[in-house]
Amino acid sequence: MNKKEILEIRRQFTPENCSITRICGCYVDYEKEKKAQMSKTFLTLPEEEAFKYFDIFRHTLSGTFGKHLLSVDFPLESELSGEAYQLLCQLRTSRLEDEELVHSFFDKVIENYVFAENYYITLIHAVYDVPGKSSDGSQMFDASDNVYEHILCSICPVKLTKPGLTYNAETDLIEERIRDWFVEAPVGGFLFPAFSDRLCDMHHALYYTKKPEDLQPVFIQNVLGGNVPLSAMDQKTSFQALVSDTLGDACHYEAIRNIHESIQEMLEESKDAPEPLELSRSDVKKLLAQEGASEESLRTFEEEFDQMAGESRTLLASNIAGTKHFQVETSVVSVKVPADRSDLISVREIDGRNCLVIPVEDYLEVNGMPAPVFKNSLE
C-alpha cells in the first residue's frame, strides 16, 4: 500500500462515506481477563459514539509508512493452511456475524499481545465500493470497478483519568472530579487484507504500531500468521552493519558521507512519487561498489543481505539515512547539520591532529548570545 491508498481508506471513516457494516469489541484487564464484550451493527451506534470510533480507526491507519505502518506478507504455507490466516479470512467472509469466530479471535489477541495494562480491542468489517477513475485520474462516483471487503482491528489502552477538580453546573460548586476509565488512541492494530493498486490484496496486511521499536513479533506471527517485518531501527542498524562489514578498512568518514549524500539525492528525486523510496539488494550493492568495496566482500554482502532481509525484500531509504539531519559525533562533541548539507562538515589533519572543520560565515552564537566573528579571533 502507498500513502494515497491509505488515505483513501482513512477517508471512509466519516459519516458521509461510512462503509462499516459491523463492530465488535472486547475490554480486557491487566490480568488478561475479559471484562466486557459487544457486537453491533455499526449504523445503530449513537452519532457521538460513532464519531469517537471513527477517530480510533483513522489513528490505526496513521503515522509514517515504514515506521508506524508496515506491510506484512504471508508465506505460501500460511495462506494454504495457516490457522491464523484462515481465521482472518473467515472473519472477513462472515462479516463478523459468527460470534464463535469473533470470540476465538479475541482469545488469540489476548494470548499473544503483550500489554501490562487494561485495553480495548475493536474489530470492524467494512465493504468499500471502490469508485473507478477517469482518464485524468479523477474519481467517477457513479462507477465502481471493484469491492474492497476488509476487517480492521484496533488495540487501545484504557486508563483511569487523572484526579482533579471540576465545576458542577447543577450545584454551582467546584468539586472533585469523578475518575473514570478512558479509551485512548490505539497503540496497535492491522488492516486485512491490504488495499494495493486500489484492489484487494490477500497476500498482505497493513500493520500499525504506535511505537516502532515495539513491533510485537509474537502477535504478528500468531494472530496474523505473517512474516515479521524489520522495524525502522532494525533496518538502520542492519544497514550500518552491512556497510561496515563490506567496506572494511575503507569504511571511513568520506565513504559514509558519500553514501548518505547518494541516498539523499535519490530521496529528493523520488519525493513526488506515491510510494516511499525502497532500496533493493542491488541498490545497496551499487552504493558500496562506488566506495571501493571488493568483489569478494560484495559477494559476502549479498549473502548477509539475504539473511537479514531476504532476497526479494527492500530497505526503506528514510529508515537507513536520516531525512532531517546529518550528525557527526566524537566522544565529547556532537555536530548536527541539515540532511542535505553534509558538505558543511569535513575531516582534516591540522597540526598533526584529526579535526572536524565547519565553516563559519557571518553568524555565530555562543550559549544563546550572538558572538560576531572577527578575523583576528580565528588567528
Side-chain angles (χ1 to χ4, degrees), residues 11 16 27 46 53 55 104 118 132 182 188 205 253 262 273 289 312 337 360:
R11 282 195 291 266
E16 300 80 15
Y27 175 41
Y53 278 113
D55 192 48
S104 296
N118 298 3
F182 177 73
Y253 173 76
S262 295
S312 62
V337 297
V360 178

Side-chain angles (χ1 to χ4, degrees), residues 90-211:
Q90 291 168 0
L91 287 166
R92 173 176 173 266
T93 303
S94 69
R95 296 180 165 229
L96 305 185
E97 294 178 355
D98 187 323
E99 291 187 5
E100 186 175 341
L101 286 175
V102 173
H103 291 167
S104 296
F105 173 77
F106 286 148
D107 288 340
K108 190 172 284 288
V109 171
I110 295 168
E111 180 183 354
N112 292 280
Y113 194 75
V114 180
F115 199 70
E117 303 175 47
N118 298 3
Y119 61 95
Y120 180 49
I121 312 166
T122 64
L123 183 66
I124 60 170
H125 172 272
V127 181
Y128 173 39
D129 200 19
V130 184
K133 285 194 173 183
S134 61
S135 57
D136 63 358
S138 60
Q139 289 190 350
M140 300 183 295
F141 294 98
D142 58 345
S144 175
D145 286 343
N146 61 84
V147 172
Y148 172 55
E149 185 177 5
H150 56 282
I151 57 176
L152 177 77
C153 173
S154 306
I155 302 176
C156 306
V158 179
K159 296 186 178 181
L160 196 61
T161 55
K162 294 181 179 179
L165 299 176
T166 187
Y167 171 67
N168 188 327
E170 295 181 359
T171 62
D172 284 333
L173 294 174
I174 298 296
E175 301 174 347
E176 182 181 6
R177 185 175 65 187
I178 298 175
R179 301 180 69 186
D180 55 6
W181 292 96
F182 177 73
V183 178
E184 297 190 336
V187 294
F190 66 86
L191 174 71
F192 173 84
F195 184 60
S196 305
D197 297 323
R198 304 188 76 233
L199 296 171
C200 180
D201 179 3
M202 299 297 293
H203 305 299
H204 296 86
L206 184 67
Y207 181 73
Y208 167 74
T209 176
K210 183 178 180 180
K211 298 180 179 180

Side-chain angles (χ1 to χ4, degrees), residues 11-12 36 39 44-45 74-75 91-92 152 169 188 201 213 223 227 232 238 248 252 255 259 347 358 374:
R11 282 195 291 266
Q12 306 315 305
S39 179
T44 63
L45 294 176
F74 298 103
L91 287 166
R92 173 176 173 266
L152 177 77
D201 179 3
E213 69 279 5
V223 177
N227 292 318
S238 297
H252 48 68
I259 291 174
V347 176
I358 307 165
F374 296 98

